[in-house]
Amino acid sequence: MLKFDKEKTKSAIWEILDTVLFVVVAIIIIRFFLIELRWIPSGSMMPTLYGDKDHALTSDRIVVEKFSKDYNLITKGKYENTPKRGDVMIFYPPSVKLKTTPSAVFSRLTGIFCNETAYIKRVIGLPGERIEIKQNSDGATYVYINGKRLNEEYVMSEYDYTKCDNNMYCGPFIIPEGHYFMMGDNRGHSFDSRYWGTLPKERFIGRAIFVFWPLNHLQILN
């Protein structure tokens, strides 16, 4: 007959709990201060990034860095992103209300059962800049920053643009301090700042720096 060893069982349980706690803390530290992995659910950033919510296995997987936040924490005492124009950023859009319950914060920190919607777009306009989106007589549409046309080689097509109307944020207007104007590279199929306005910097999660899957899409993002 097997003899139940209470002390050994108790020790084994504590060892398992200790290991689980270590793994959870490690995940939180890595995701919060270093990197996290994301997948692209839509085609709004094509041709730079490929995404398809119905075929997730073929969508791009990316590495999102938090190092720039760490740098600002050390140098400025503020844990925040200060992206440059052209950076591809992950963020929570203004329409998403971030829950502050312990379970919601835990999910956000670890990525476990986290269902808060995040977007990926490119930084186009910076705080304090005057932005305007204008269409030429031939149908081509361009972004103007402080009156100068922005050179955007990454866009899908300057002719494939959603036409601006009075309900959209196409300018001209000055981007408020602490806010950014975000746009997808696939301008005809991107729900971005043209529709919901400028993005507060507090909403940034991190910067996309590398595509690691699928292998034929490997690239460093500028």
Side-chain angles (χ1 to χ4, degrees), residues 9 17 42-43 59-60 63 78 80 128 133 142 147 152 157 169 174 184 189 195 203 215 219-220:
T9 302
L17 291 176
S42 75
S59 295
D60 287 347
V63 176
K78 296 180 180 180
E80 62 183 14
I133 300 170
Y142 300 99
E152 299 186 281
S157 171
Y169 297 87
I174 303 297
H189 302 83
Y195 297 91
R203 289 268 161 169
L215 295 179
Q219 62 170 313
I220 296 174

Side-chain angles (χ1 to χ4, degrees), residues 83-102:
K84 305 184 300 297
R85 189 185 339 275
D87 284 349
V88 177
M89 301 295 293
I90 314 295
F91 58 91
Y92 295 115
S95 60
V96 173
K97 185 177 181 180
L98 300 178
K99 299 178 181 178
T100 56
T101 61

Side-chain angles (χ1 to χ4, degrees), residues 45-110:
M45 282 298 294
M46 292 178 65
T48 305
L49 296 169
Y50 175 82
D52 187 340
K53 65 179 180 179
D54 296 322
H55 300 88
L57 292 178
T58 59
S59 295
D60 287 347
R61 263 66 173 175
I62 59 174
V63 176
V64 180
E65 63 90 4
K66 309 293 184 69
F67 308 122
S68 50
K69 277 189 172 184
D70 299 335
Y71 177 78
N72 284 334
L73 179 63
I74 295 171
T75 59
K76 302 177 183 178
K78 296 180 180 180
Y79 190 64
E80 62 183 14
N81 283 108
T82 50
K84 305 184 300 297
R85 189 185 339 275
D87 284 349
V88 177
M89 301 295 293
I90 314 295
F91 58 91
Y92 295 115
S95 60
V96 173
K97 185 177 181 180
L98 300 178
K99 299 178 181 178
T100 56
T101 61
S103 60
V105 173
F106 177 81
S107 295
R108 197 153 59 240
L109 289 175
T110 62

Side-chain angles (χ1 to χ4, degrees), residues 42-51 154-156 184-187:
S42 75
S44 69
M45 282 298 294
M46 292 178 65
T48 305
L49 296 169
Y50 175 82
Y154 41 76
V155 298
M156 174 74 83
D185 293 352
N186 190 0
R187 299 290 162 80

